[in-house]
Amino acid sequence: MGKCVVAFEPSRKSAEVEIGTVLLDAARKTGVEIPIPCGGQGRCGRCKVLVEHGAVDQPSTVYLSAEELEQGYVQACQAVVEGDAVIFVPPTLKIERVVSVERAPEEITLPVQCDWRGEPTISKVFLDIKPPSLADQTSDLERLKRELAKQYGIEDITVNLPLLRRIAPALRQADWKVTTVLDVGHWSLGDHIPPRLIDLVPGDRTDRSLGVAVDIGTTTNVVYLVDLLSGKVIDIASAYNGQTSCGEDVISRIIYSEKKKEGLQHLQSLVVKTINSLLAELSHRHKIDLQEIYRMTVAANEVMIHLFLALPPESIRYEPYIPTVTHTLLVTAEEIGVRINPQATVDCLPGVGAYVGADITAGVVSSGLFATDKLTVFLDVGTNGEIVLGNADWLITCACSAGPAFEGFGVEDGMMATTGAIEEVLINSNTYEPTCNTIGDAPAKGICGSGLISLLAEMFITGVIDKAGKVNLDLDTPRVRKGEHGPEYVVAWGDETETGRDIVITEVDIANLMRAKAAVRAGISVLLRSVGLNIADVEQVLIGGAFGKHINIEKAIQIGLLPDMPWDRFKFLGNTSILGAYSALLCRDVRRTIYDIAQRMTYLELSADNTFFDEFNAALFLPHTDLSQYPSVMRLLRG
Amino acid sequence: MGKCVVAFEPSRKSAEVEIGTVLLDAARKTGVEIPIPCGGQGRCGRCKVLVEHGAVDQPSTVYLSAEELEQGYVQACQAVVEGDAVIFVPPTLKIERVVSVERAPEEITLPVQCDWRGEPTISKVFLDIKPPSLADQTSDLERLKRELAKQYGIEDITVNLPLLRRIAPALRQADWKVTTVLDVGHWSLGDHIPPRLIDLVPGDRTDRSLGVAVDIGTTTNVVYLVDLLSGKVIDIASAYNGQTSCGEDVISRIIYSEKKKEGLQHLQSLVVKTINSLLAELSHRHKIDLQEIYRMTVAANEVMIHLFLALPPESIRYEPYIPTVTHTLLVTAEEIGVRINPQATVDCLPGVGAYVGADITAGVVSSGLFATDKLTVFLDVGTNGEIVLGNADWLITCACSAGPAFEGFGVEDGMMATTGAIEEVLINSNTYEPTCNTIGDAPAKGICGSGLISLLAEMFITGVIDKAGKVNLDLDTPRVRKGEHGPEYVVAWGDETETGRDIVITEVDIANLMRAKAAVRAGISVLLRSVGLNIADVEQVLIGGAFGKHINIEKAIQIGLLPDMPWDRFKFLGNTSILGAYSALLCRDVRRTIYDIAQRMTYLELSADNTFFDEFNAALFLPHTDLSQYPSVMRLLRG
């Protein structure tokens, strides 16, 4: 085949590669990361790079404009190197790595009542051990066990080999006065999981105990640093999931793991890197030795958990959608590469199935749904929409592939909810001129999820679009026009935006958004029908997910995402996933409850439900085909 | 400091090292192994190498003769490099690596009665699993567990992460028809150790199951390849423990692990290498995939187990002699680097204390001592002498540091029991001329343990030495003379030997041998006295250890190593350690029994016993100070 040299600008990194190598792989070899939102399937065009010199060939594509092709842009995931080349990687492609948390972390309190002091997950115990003598030659480990049994009634412990190797010098260097750190977090799950010794520290260090709760979102990873003695969240750090560069939604990432050589290992290392960088940030900010963090509790959807543990996720993608495991077993930080104490347990919370994961079981606990008398709908709209219906006595759940539209993906000018994102839109019903609020009052860069809901509702109410989501091109305003991708509405002119380009919403975007909202709405209907109830019986709607926190209820009802009911029945709970992880990190009784919930929740597979398709189609209109379900919206349209 | 280059002949390997580097470390850097029987303490002189050119400096030493120093020999473990040098490593220093097992392995049968078919350690179970569907979306692992519970009543299993990663593809590639391999070997030890899944193999492979029993002797390692279905030993392989090059006895090796950088890791890798080479040999001979070996059961003394697991052994060496652990925990082959199935359990059997290890508890089982009504002495004389006294109702044990004299170490012309070793000596009582038998009828190279016992007894009976072990230089024979190390007896003249040098036994050697035999004999006396019994009450003496197999009882009584009693009360059992490991490999009930024995055996620390020193001194004569204890020897001397 022969070799050639590919150089990347502006980073000035280069590598020798085989002729025929895909540009993306060549870039990776040099350490240059090019984001591939679709997972390298060649289906988005967002990995475009400019060939400055040299021979690069690519299959024909519709994801680059004629102008871009003319200029020499190619899709890095598709184009292959045919000889020496110099490639320019546009800066706009770089994803900001760290989600800035500018405000001081709010005071976070445990969302559930529990006896976390009496039922901790980590037990630190000080022992002043009588040293061995010729009259008492018990081995070091047995001596330790004997002391734990005598003083604390802890009858049996396990210990892994790497720590066992440290016991003899540790005891002697500490002159037999040591703090033993025991993981007792799974004690309540059954007798077969005895306490595990995870560290031996010289002297009495029982005055201090740390853990971390982690939410591995498909898009964003969040870490809570928790003081296990006071129960307080010391600080929070968050960042985009490093895997985003290999695919924006879970399906793209599964494809990446299947198609790319060592793809699964690469994805695993990316998320571990993200989490380690957040840990490093927290460690630096609070002068904490990461070795002192003795437990990590993880909530995430099942795909994220599979990728985090490097479990092959393929079979989750194909019918009948089967994960390797939903109740993950005990793994240590060392096994995963997470840089806390190597013997610390990394506790991935249990989920229900492929598409209702630990993020939902954690949410059912932290939202209080598991203990309420009220008939409740719990809703988590992220990349997927998961819905739980029930109360303290029973729980039924389903997942609808809403797609990532509400997270700003799959929408021309969609973006995540960071500085410059349009988060609210009001449209004048006479002039069709919009008024936009952006996050941080910065010049607009794009539209985030809450902005999209707001925009869709306003366009519908003012008649910019009809109930089928079609743009009314006959309106007397330059804001509606035919664009490159069909009819569109201009939300912001180029002279107001940061990029200098118009920010628009197209009919294609609108169709994506309507499919997403229809999937969620249909899911709610199907769940209710499956237990012989209807929407009027619902006493409260609890909305989880970082996204949910910013939804405008009125607008969400107007587009038919949420059912039409009095606003006081809705409650926004924020990131219920990490709140659940935080509770389970602190209290093994909560951990047990999450396990029980995962066991007893009934999962309804929508793709096997013959009423789902009908409900979905009925919800594909604004707000809904059956207008009688949306009396408040009818009143508004009439008035 | 500056650097220099050291080259080693005849292997022509060289390395750049810091000036001031110890020659031994320089050699190791090039991959040249120089044996250091004393563990690199500079106390034996057997690591001598010849400085051909260059600057090497060494502290003054008494372990090299004036002639050797003159020629340019230095102790590799003491001499430091002062500039470029060329070093010749004499070939005679190389230890033969592989103990040749020329005979076909004898038919080995289980030494204990047990229901090994009903209580196996490895359970292979074929499952024809109903594939998942939209109506049954249980995860892969839960599906597997459900099937095991339904068909075989196995309620819970654990699985490690590396195997968990393979489950999804393994099940699908096998079209859901798989053989699960479960380790159930510790089931009987308590509910907290559920079966562990160690492999998933496509199709029905329940017709085959393999394991290995391993005896890690200080000197020799032995591996039994066992068919777990028929219970048969398929083959045996053995080799010298690779650690021998870092010290011949356990104390030298502990010193090596303490003093040398990465010494512990080096020792661990050496024994693992030896075991892996034996496994490779067996795999080659029988066309076996080592991945099919699902369990390794290890018997060894506690120091060997510590070094095998890389547990720091220092505290075993110093009073009060404490091991890290005597009941070793569950480790996998992967963790140790043993090349059988990576998820296979490496089960190190439990011991009693620092100097009564798993080799002895295994021996107590395989010898039948644990179940007999007869008052029994069980004796294992290797590098140390361990003694167990008791019967089915009670067991008491002690260890006496006999030293490695009976293994041929610490004796001028001592050697291991291989070809060319003198194993039997008869001395004419008139001429004092010896008749020697060598192993393999080869020219004599040295004297092995059984040869030393025989020689000592003959010298005593014929008057070459007196009861204090002093050589009678007045005898009219050139065989007795004053040598470099004092008075000595020539066992073979140089013209009969392989090396061309005289083979001798010196008074120093004799003193070493007498200390060894006295320690064992005193141990027996102290044990008996501690329970208010005496030698006449003993109904049988069971002798374990490869060495024990070749002892001539008559001679051993004559020197006072064994008590004077009718010969039919002695039984030689061979390597009781590996027979115990083999039994525990096959049957978890035996495994449990060994655990129980380790728990209930009383350990008597001789160094804390005030009668031991008196008994030892009394036994420092041939055969004993109290001749009334040796009536048969008295009769012989009188007649």
Side-chain angles (χ1 to χ4, degrees):
Chain A
M1 284 296 280
K3 303 256 188 178
C4 60
V5 174
V6 186
F8 292 89
E9 296 291 351
S11 60
R12 313 200 139 204
K13 288 177 178 171
S14 63
E16 192 182 65
V17 297
E18 298 277 346
I19 286 174
T21 300
V22 171
L23 213 44
L24 180 71
D25 296 330
R28 216 145 258 176
K29 201 173 170 190
T30 69
V32 170
E33 280 281 337
I34 299 174
I36 41 169
C38 71
Q41 303 172 77
R43 283 181 12 197
C44 74
R46 284 166 64 185
C47 62
K48 68 177 181 191
V49 293
L50 184 67
V51 180
E52 293 195 338
H53 305 287
V56 170
D57 186 56
Q58 79 163 3
S60 64
T61 175
V62 298
Y63 295 96
L64 296 177
S65 68
E67 193 188 353
E68 284 169 334
L69 290 170
E70 179 68 26
Q71 289 170 344
Y73 278 98
V74 296
Q75 285 174 287
C77 75
Q78 299 296 313
V80 297
V81 177
E82 297 193 318
D84 292 350
V86 178
I87 308 296
F88 180 76
V89 182
T92 50
L93 288 181
K94 281 189 196 144
I95 292 188
E96 294 166 52
R97 210 186 50 77
V98 177
V99 179
S100 50
V101 180
E102 279 143 30
R103 54 184 169 62
E106 56 211 296
E107 180 84 3
I108 291 164
T109 47
L110 262 185
V112 288
Q113 290 240 326
C114 61
D115 174 22
W116 58 269
R117 282 177 210 272
E119 299 280 320
T121 61
I122 296 294
S123 173
K124 276 183 130 182
V125 171
F126 175 68
L127 299 176
D128 185 349
I129 303 170
K130 198 172 161 229
S133 65
L134 285 181
D136 174 13
Q137 292 176 306
T138 304
S139 76
D140 292 343
L141 183 62
E142 291 298 326
R143 184 174 303 271
L144 207 59
K145 285 187 182 178
R146 193 174 65 187
E147 207 66 23
L148 282 167
K150 198 166 66 185
Q151 292 194 26
Y152 299 94
I154 296 167
E155 282 303 330
D156 194 19
I157 59 168
T158 63
V159 51
N160 291 343
L161 191 56
L163 180 58
L164 193 63
R165 289 177 174 147
R166 281 182 40 222
I167 285 183
L171 286 172
R172 286 164 183 82
Q173 281 155 23
D175 199 21
W176 303 91
K177 292 169 185 61
V178 289
T179 301
T180 60
V181 184
L182 294 165
D183 188 315
V184 291
H186 293 79
W187 220 353
S188 56
L189 291 187
D191 295 336
H192 63 284
I193 312 177
R196 187 164 61 81
L197 186 66
I198 49 183
D199 206 359
L200 271 189
V201 195
D204 186 347
R205 296 298 302 273
T206 52
D207 59 339
R208 188 176 171 83
S209 195
L210 297 172
V212 283
V214 178
D215 175 40
I216 305 181
T218 308
T219 305
T220 306
N221 297 347
V222 184
V223 176
Y224 280 15
L225 175 65
V226 181
D227 178 340
L228 300 180
L229 293 183
S230 71
K232 290 245 176 358
V233 176
I234 298 170
D235 200 355
I236 298 173
S238 64
Y240 291 133
N241 185 331
Q243 295 172 344
T244 312
S245 66
C246 298
E248 281 175 357
D249 56 42
V250 295
I251 298 299
S252 301
R253 293 195 205 158
I254 295 177
I255 291 169
Y256 183 88
S257 80
E258 281 175 63
K259 297 282 162 70
K260 295 282 165 185
K261 209 184 138 197
E262 303 285 310
L264 178 56
Q265 286 67 34
H266 186 61
L267 288 169
Q268 200 234 4
S269 70
L270 286 172
V271 67
V272 167
K273 211 166 138 187
T274 302
I275 292 170
N276 281 340
S277 72
L278 294 174
L279 289 168
E281 189 182 322
L282 291 167
S283 152
H284 180 74
R285 238 189 264 161
H286 297 274
K287 309 270 171 287
I288 282 165
D289 180 356
L290 292 176
Q291 297 294 310
E292 284 188 89
I293 298 180
Y294 289 118
R295 189 167 243 256
M296 173 179 281
T297 303
V298 179
N301 66 54
E302 290 304 306
V303 175
M304 286 306 107
I305 285 182
H306 276 62
L307 296 181
F308 178 56
L309 299 176
L311 298 172
E314 287 93 307
S315 52
I316 297 181
R317 183 180 163 212
Y318 301 103
E319 201 183 305
Y321 319 116
I322 308 299
T324 293
V325 66
T326 48
H327 302 248
T328 44
L329 305 162
L330 302 181
V331 296
T332 60
E334 192 173 42
E335 287 180 276
I336 307 293
V338 170
R339 288 208 204 95
I340 56 176
N341 188 292
Q343 289 305 313
T345 299
V346 173
D347 177 28
C348 295
L349 294 175
V352 178
Y355 291 109
V356 174
D359 47 351
I360 304 309
T361 52
V364 167
V365 165
S366 66
S367 68
L369 166 51
F370 79 108
T372 184
D373 292 336
K374 294 185 182 169
L375 181 67
T376 302
V377 168
F378 172 76
L379 200 61
D380 190 324
V381 182
T383 309
N384 279 301
E386 293 98 348
I387 308 162
V388 184
L389 174 70
N391 55 31
D393 296 327
W394 56 272
L395 294 164
I396 184 164
T397 184
C398 71
C400 27
S401 42
F406 288 123
E407 294 200 316
F409 295 116
V411 173
E412 187 76 16
D413 284 317
M415 68 177 283
M416 291 187 247
T418 52
T419 307
I422 296 170
E423 60 171 347
E424 197 178 17
V425 183
L426 287 165
I427 298 178
N428 184 304
S429 54
N430 297 318
T431 62
Y432 307 109
E433 281 299 303
T435 308
C436 299
N437 293 328
T438 61
I439 297 179
D441 285 328
K445 280 188 208 165
I447 318 167
C448 68
S450 55
L452 288 167
I453 291 172
S454 169
L455 175 60
L456 198 62
E458 286 290 301
M459 290 196 294
F460 174 55
I461 298 300
T462 58
V464 174
I465 56 173
D466 66 9
K467 66 177 185 169
K470 297 294 164 201
V471 175
N472 184 353
L473 289 172
D474 299 336
L475 294 183
D476 180 21
T477 166
R479 297 264 175 189
V480 296
R481 69 185 187 195
K482 269 206 136 156
E484 199 176 340
H485 300 290
E488 62 188 25
Y489 173 79
V490 181
V491 187
W493 298 113
D495 56 11
E496 309 161 311
T497 68
E498 213 208 46
T499 60
R501 290 188 300 105
D502 296 349
I503 291 173
V504 301
I505 185 156
T506 70
E507 269 189 8
V508 177
D509 297 340
I510 294 167
N512 278 339
L513 288 164
M514 285 173 66
R515 270 197 297 277
K517 77 100 186 169
V520 173
R521 187 63 188 82
I524 297 172
S525 297
V526 171
L527 274 194
L528 281 163
R529 177 172 307 164
S530 76
V531 289
L533 297 170
N534 64 60
I535 203 76
D537 300 314
V538 175
E539 292 168 90
Q540 62 177 351
V541 177
L542 305 178
I543 300 172
F547 162 64
K549 213 165 173 180
H550 302 281
I551 293 181
N552 179 317
I553 303 172
E554 181 185 8
K555 301 296 172 191
I557 293 174
Q558 284 170 4
I559 66 168
L561 170 64
L562 296 178
D564 197 357
M565 52 173 66
W567 296 356
D568 61 4
R569 292 201 200 159
F570 294 96
K571 268 189 211 140
F572 296 115
L573 303 174
N575 187 339
T576 47
S577 170
I578 197 160
L579 285 172
Y582 159 49
S583 313
L585 168 67
L586 215 50
C587 180
R588 65 170 179 255
D589 206 36
V590 173
R591 179 62 177 77
R592 163 101 216 176
T593 302
I594 293 180
Y595 174 83
D596 291 342
I597 286 167
Q599 295 280 63
R600 71 189 176 89
M601 217 189 300
T602 307
Y603 176 68
L604 190 74
E605 174 60 50
L606 291 183
S607 67
D609 187 287
N610 48 22
T611 66
F612 177 72
F613 193 65
D614 296 340
E615 287 287 353
F616 177 71
N617 279 331
L620 265 181
F621 288 84
L622 294 171
H624 198 273
T625 311
D626 178 8
L627 280 176
S628 71
Q629 288 195 31
Y630 281 85
S632 80
V633 185
M634 276 173 75
R635 276 194 303 276
L636 186 71
L637 291 172
R638 267 196 240 106
Chain B
M1 285 295 282
K3 303 253 188 180
C4 60
V5 175
V6 185
F8 292 88
E9 297 291 352
S11 59
R12 311 199 142 207
K13 290 178 177 167
S14 64
E16 191 181 68
V17 298
E18 299 278 348
I19 286 173
T21 301
V22 171
L23 213 46
L24 181 71
D25 297 331
R28 216 146 257 176
K29 201 172 171 191
T30 68
V32 170
E33 282 280 337
I34 299 173
I36 41 168
C38 72
Q41 304 172 74
R43 283 183 10 198
C44 73
R46 281 166 67 185
C47 62
K48 68 178 179 191
V49 293
L50 185 66
V51 181
E52 291 195 338
H53 305 286
V56 171
D57 186 55
Q58 82 163 1
S60 64
T61 175
V62 297
Y63 296 96
L64 297 177
S65 66
E67 192 187 352
E68 284 168 336
L69 291 169
E70 178 70 23
Q71 288 169 347
Y73 277 98
V74 296
Q75 283 175 290
C77 73
Q78 299 297 315
V80 298
V81 177
E82 298 193 317
D84 294 349
V86 179
I87 307 297
F88 180 77
V89 181
T92 49
L93 287 181
K94 280 188 198 142
I95 291 187
E96 293 166 52
R97 210 186 51 77
V98 178
V99 179
S100 51
V101 180
E102 278 143 32
R103 55 187 166 60
E106 55 211 296
E107 180 82 5
I108 292 165
T109 48
L110 264 183
V112 287
Q113 289 239 327
C114 61
D115 174 22
W116 58 271
R117 282 177 210 274
E119 300 279 322
T121 61
I122 295 295
S123 172
K124 278 183 127 180
V125 171
F126 175 67
L127 298 176
D128 185 349
I129 304 171
K130 198 170 161 230
S133 65
L134 285 181
D136 175 14
Q137 293 176 306
T138 303
S139 76
D140 291 343
L141 183 61
E142 291 298 326
R143 184 173 303 271
L144 207 60
K145 284 187 184 180
R146 193 173 65 185
E147 207 67 23
L148 282 168
K150 199 166 66 185
Q151 293 193 27
Y152 299 92
I154 297 167
E155 282 305 332
D156 193 18
I157 60 169
T158 63
V159 51
N160 291 343
L161 191 55
L163 180 58
L164 194 63
R165 290 177 175 148
R166 280 182 41 221
I167 285 183
L171 286 172
R172 287 164 183 82
Q173 280 157 23
D175 199 21
W176 302 91
K177 291 167 185 61
V178 289
T179 301
T180 60
V181 184
L182 295 165
D183 189 314
V184 291
H186 293 78
W187 221 354
S188 54
L189 291 187
D191 294 338
H192 63 284
I193 313 176
R196 186 163 61 83
L197 186 67
I198 48 181
D199 205 0
L200 272 188
V201 194
D204 185 348
R205 295 299 301 273
T206 52
D207 60 338
R208 191 177 169 81
S209 196
L210 297 172
V212 283
V214 178
D215 175 41
I216 306 182
T218 307
T219 305
T220 306
N221 297 347
V222 184
V223 176
Y224 279 16
L225 174 65
V226 180
D227 178 338
L228 301 179
L229 294 183
S230 72
K232 289 246 177 352
V233 176
I234 298 171
D235 201 357
I236 298 173
S238 65
Y240 290 133
N241 186 332
Q243 294 172 344
T244 312
S245 66
C246 298
E248 281 174 358
D249 56 45
V250 295
I251 298 301
S252 300
R253 292 196 204 157
I254 295 177
I255 291 168
Y256 183 90
S257 79
E258 281 176 64
K259 297 282 163 68
K260 295 283 162 181
K261 209 182 141 201
E262 303 287 309
L264 179 56
Q265 286 67 33
H266 185 61
L267 288 170
Q268 201 233 5
S269 71
L270 287 173
V271 66
V272 167
K273 210 166 138 190
T274 302
I275 292 171
N276 281 338
S277 73
L278 294 174
L279 289 167
E281 188 182 325
L282 290 167
S283 153
H284 179 75
R285 238 188 263 161
H286 296 274
K287 310 270 171 285
I288 283 165
D289 180 356
L290 292 176
Q291 297 294 309
E292 286 187 88
I293 297 180
Y294 289 119
R295 188 167 244 258
M296 175 179 279
T297 303
V298 178
N301 66 55
E302 289 306 305
V303 175
M304 287 304 109
I305 285 182
H306 276 61
L307 296 180
F308 179 55
L309 299 176
L311 298 172
E314 286 93 310
S315 52
I316 297 181
R317 183 180 163 212
Y318 301 103
E319 199 181 305
Y321 320 115
I322 307 298
T324 293
V325 66
T326 48
H327 300 246
T328 44
L329 304 160
L330 301 182
V331 295
T332 60
E334 193 171 43
E335 287 180 274
I336 307 293
V338 169
R339 291 208 204 96
I340 57 175
N341 189 291
Q343 289 305 313
T345 300
V346 173
D347 177 28
C348 295
L349 294 175
V352 178
Y355 291 110
V356 174
D359 47 350
I360 303 308
T361 52
V364 168
V365 165
S366 66
S367 68
L369 166 52
F370 78 108
T372 184
D373 292 336
K374 293 184 182 170
L375 180 68
T376 301
V377 167
F378 171 76
L379 201 60
D380 190 324
V381 181
T383 308
N384 278 302
E386 293 97 348
I387 307 162
V388 184
L389 173 69
N391 55 32
D393 295 327
W394 57 271
L395 293 165
I396 183 164
T397 184
C398 72
C400 29
S401 42
F406 288 124
E407 293 198 319
F409 297 116
V411 171
E412 185 80 15
D413 284 316
M415 67 177 283
M416 290 187 248
T418 51
T419 307
I422 295 170
E423 60 171 347
E424 197 180 17
V425 182
L426 288 166
I427 298 179
N428 183 305
S429 54
N430 297 318
T431 63
Y432 308 109
E433 281 300 300
T435 310
C436 300
N437 292 328
T438 60
I439 296 179
D441 284 328
K445 281 189 210 167
I447 317 167
C448 69
S450 54
L452 288 167
I453 292 174
S454 169
L455 175 59
L456 199 60
E458 286 289 301
M459 289 195 297
F460 173 56
I461 298 299
T462 58
V464 172
I465 56 175
D466 66 10
K467 65 177 186 167
K470 298 294 166 202
V471 175
N472 183 353
L473 289 171
D474 300 334
L475 293 183
D476 181 21
T477 167
R479 296 267 174 185
V480 295
R481 68 186 187 193
K482 268 203 138 161
E484 199 176 339
H485 301 289
E488 62 190 24
Y489 173 79
V490 182
V491 186
W493 296 113
D495 55 11
E496 310 160 312
T497 69
E498 214 209 45
T499 59
R501 290 188 300 105
D502 295 349
I503 292 173
V504 303
I505 184 157
T506 69
E507 267 187 10
V508 177
D509 298 339
I510 293 167
N512 279 339
L513 288 165
M514 283 172 69
R515 271 196 297 275
K517 76 100 187 170
V520 174
R521 188 62 189 82
I524 297 173
S525 295
V526 171
L527 275 193
L528 281 163
R529 177 173 308 164
S530 75
V531 289
L533 295 171
N534 64 59
I535 203 77
D537 300 313
V538 175
E539 293 168 87
Q540 60 177 352
V541 177
L542 305 177
I543 301 172
F547 162 64
K549 216 168 170 177
H550 302 280
I551 293 182
N552 179 317
I553 303 172
E554 183 187 7
K555 301 294 171 193
I557 293 174
Q558 283 171 4
I559 65 168
L561 169 64
L562 296 178
D564 196 357
M565 51 173 67
W567 296 357
D568 61 3
R569 290 199 199 159
F570 295 96
K571 268 188 212 142
F572 297 116
L573 303 173
N575 187 338
T576 47
S577 170
I578 197 159
L579 285 172
Y582 159 50
S583 312
L585 168 67
L586 214 51
C587 179
R588 65 171 178 254
D589 206 38
V590 173
R591 178 63 176 77
R592 165 100 215 175
T593 302
I594 292 180
Y595 175 83
D596 291 341
I597 287 169
Q599 295 280 65
R600 71 188 176 89
M601 219 190 297
T602 307
Y603 177 68
L604 188 75
E605 175 60 49
L606 291 183
S607 67
D609 187 288
N610 47 22
T611 66
F612 177 73
F613 192 66
D614 295 339
E615 287 288 351
F616 177 71
N617 279 331
L620 265 181
F621 288 83
L622 294 172
H624 196 275
T625 311
D626 178 8
L627 280 176
S628 72
Q629 287 194 32
Y630 281 84
S632 78
V633 185
M634 278 173 72
R635 274 193 304 276
L636 186 71
L637 291 172
R638 267 194 242 109

